[in-house]
Amino acid sequence: MHRFRLERGLSIGDLARRSGLAKQTLSKLEMGNGNPTVETLAAVGSALDVSLRRLVTEWGTPVYVLRSDQGEWSHSRGHQERALDEVYGSGYVRTVLLKMTRGDDSGEVDAHQPGTLHHAYVVRGKVRIGPTSDLVDLSAGDFVRFPGDIPHRQTCLSDRALLHMVTTLPQVRQFGPTVLSQAQST
């Protein structure tokens, strides 16, 4: 909670006003001494524009191992996918493996949230991937990072392909620049 508050440039008093909670309550929560109700956490999350899930995510996560025989492959748009991990903290990170066969094509995928990035490493095969306006052909061993906040697609060009895909979204909502009027800046 402390980090979220600081990222937004808020004092304890600012957060108290936004959430309708007492400064003392918020101070205790930041020090780890409070025992908040779900309603209290919801008020803090709303005031910080952070989902309850992200607000209560633990820091210092232990080592996470997913063995090759664990997890299920599911069918998605133009490929099969096996989720490897999802992480909340400094942002949202989703790691998946994509299995594709010749001709598999996601079609044009709509833009995701502002700031989204896709990171793709081709484990085997050949693919065409990236923003629809700037597709690149990749082979095994190639890597690409591209914006996911514009329309994009992926197509398998070989008999089979396997991609290691990581999608990242910034935790703090992306805002456009603030422009002050001449009267405000003087």
Side-chain angles (χ1 to χ4, degrees):
M1 183 175 97
H2 178 74
R3 184 177 60 82
F4 294 127
R5 180 176 61 79
L6 293 180
E7 284 175 353
R8 285 150 182 79
L10 299 174
S11 67
I12 287 277
D14 294 332
L15 184 56
R17 281 186 290 284
R18 284 182 169 200
S19 65
L21 299 170
K23 287 195 280 186
Q24 183 178 10
T25 300
L26 296 171
S27 292
K28 284 183 179 181
L29 290 177
E30 284 192 359
M31 292 186 297
N33 297 328
N35 188 14
T37 64
V38 172
E39 291 80 14
T40 298
L41 291 174
V44 170
S46 179
L48 292 170
D49 195 26
V50 173
S51 71
L52 187 57
R53 181 177 181 179
R54 287 188 5 215
L55 187 64
V56 298
T57 299
E58 279 188 43
W59 290 89
T61 304
V63 173
Y64 171 75
V65 177
L66 182 67
R67 300 288 179 197
S68 61
D69 61 346
Q70 297 174 316
E72 298 290 323
W73 287 92
S74 62
H75 292 279
S76 191
R77 227 173 124 174
H79 63 271
Q80 292 181 55
E81 139 180 328
R82 176 179 169 232
L84 300 176
D85 193 16
E86 292 183 359
V87 177
Y88 293 86
S90 60
Y92 170 79
V93 179
R94 184 165 191 259
T95 306
V96 299
L97 291 174
L98 302 182
K99 282 184 183 177
M100 301 176 76
T101 56
R102 186 177 297 281
D104 282 352
D105 188 328
S106 64
E108 186 171 295
V109 178
D110 292 334
H112 303 302
Q113 287 179 220
T116 299
L117 290 173
H118 291 300
H119 315 255
Y121 175 80
V122 181
V123 178
R124 72 173 174 257
K126 293 181 181 182
V127 297
R128 180 169 292 137
I129 191 169
T132 53
S133 61
D134 194 16
L135 293 167
V136 293
D137 291 354
L138 302 176
S139 298
D142 292 343
F143 169 83
V144 65
R145 180 184 70 218
F146 62 92
D149 55 4
I150 59 176
H152 53 281
R153 75 181 311 138
Q154 65 221 18
T155 306
C156 183
L157 302 176
S158 55
D159 289 337
R160 296 180 183 272
L162 180 65
L163 281 77
H164 178 250
M165 210 55 194
V166 177
T167 301
T168 60
L169 286 83
Q171 184 163 356
V172 177
R173 188 175 359 155
Q174 302 295 297
F175 297 97
T178 302
V179 178
L180 297 175
S181 70
Q182 196 168 30
Q184 291 175 312
S185 61
T186 55

